[in-house]
Amino acid sequence: MSILSTITTGVARTGLRCVIGGLEKMGKTTLCSQMPTPLLIPCEVGYSGVSVAKTNMLQRYEDVLTLLDNEIIPLARTGQFPFKTLIFDSATGLERMIHDNVLRRDPNFTAHGGKKTVTMESAHGGYGKAYNLANEEFDQLLMKFDQLAVYGGINIVMTCHVFASKMVDPTSGEYDSWDLLLHSPKNHKTYGKRERISQWADIIGFLYEPVFVSKGDGMVRATSQNKGRVLGLSRTPGYVAGNRFGIVGEISLPAPPQIAWNSVAEALYKAAGIDVYTR
């Protein structure tokens, strides 16, 4: 079969690759759990209140690889995997596992009876080598996710913690913005996991509740705008977000959070004809 004979038109029917960022207790996992036929794979504590099919909490990166390589991917290849959405909660937790795996492979770690005597800065000879190894592991993980999304049609979703980051804009100067809580090189000349996941994802959403900030009597107060929670899908100076489908702005999410996903699905369908409704 020639490559030209494989040409198709229209929207590719592959699984979505999503990252949902936001502050703690904002409802990231609950929102993701409303996607079609989900399976939650917890990588940290904080999932017990979410009513969804879930595995036991994974604590080592080796367990993540075993689950993917020995169970999920073989089933997906034969069309026998029963879930349409995989939720990894969270990307920050996955990164922590990968870093721990890299540290345990350092000769100085094993030489001292397994005691954690090395850091990501000093491991494997220093000079950022441990971070390079972790980035390679993360790249391999994203490739496994791509196999499931492209060949299995499975939606891959990762929640992610955020932090207030200093952004430097050559035209506007320095300002604060919410960014994904993943490692990024300080010199900005090479890519870390934050840049890798940003390039990989089809959708990066920022989940938050808009507030008014007022100053008076020497105090700063934040008051809700009574808009409820919203999901930002395009970048603003205040937070990182974006998508490949031309969706602009924010989506208001109805309460309770258990019925919120279809508002996102509607925006995707209108923008690109992609059907990820939960029925």
Side-chain angles (χ1 to χ4, degrees), residues 197-211:
I197 202 173
S198 297
Q199 290 187 352
W200 170 84
D202 299 317
I203 295 174
I204 299 177
F206 181 74
L207 184 63
Y208 76 110
E209 181 177 356
V211 297

Side-chain angles (χ1 to χ4, degrees), residues 45-61:
V45 177
Y47 59 92
S48 59
V50 181
S51 179
V52 66
K54 59 179 74 73
T55 68
N56 290 334
M57 186 178 77
L58 305 185
Q59 301 185 52
R60 292 164 67 97
Y61 187 56

Side-chain angles (χ1 to χ4, degrees), residues 21-24 28 92 160-164 178-181 206 240:
L23 293 171
E24 293 74 14
K28 301 184 293 296
T92 309
C160 193
H161 298 295
V162 296
F163 75 113
W178 291 112
D179 208 344
L180 302 176
L181 185 54
F206 181 74
V240 60

Side-chain angles (χ1 to χ4, degrees), residues 169-191:
D169 187 325
T171 62
S172 305
E174 189 176 78
Y175 60 92
D176 291 329
S177 178
W178 291 112
D179 208 344
L180 302 176
L181 185 54
L182 295 168
H183 177 259
S184 176
K186 294 180 180 180
N187 60 15
H188 302 289
K189 293 180 181 179
T190 55
Y191 283 174

Side-chain angles (χ1 to χ4, degrees), residues 198-242:
S198 297
Q199 290 187 352
W200 170 84
D202 299 317
I203 295 174
I204 299 177
F206 181 74
L207 184 63
Y208 76 110
E209 181 177 356
V211 297
F212 289 114
V213 177
S214 59
K215 298 180 181 179
D217 301 325
M219 299 181 65
V220 178
R221 297 179 176 87
T223 306
S224 174
Q225 295 185 16
N226 293 319
K227 293 182 178 180
R229 294 173 311 133
V230 301
L231 184 69
L233 291 178
S234 57
R235 181 144 200 165
T236 74
Y239 56 76
V240 60

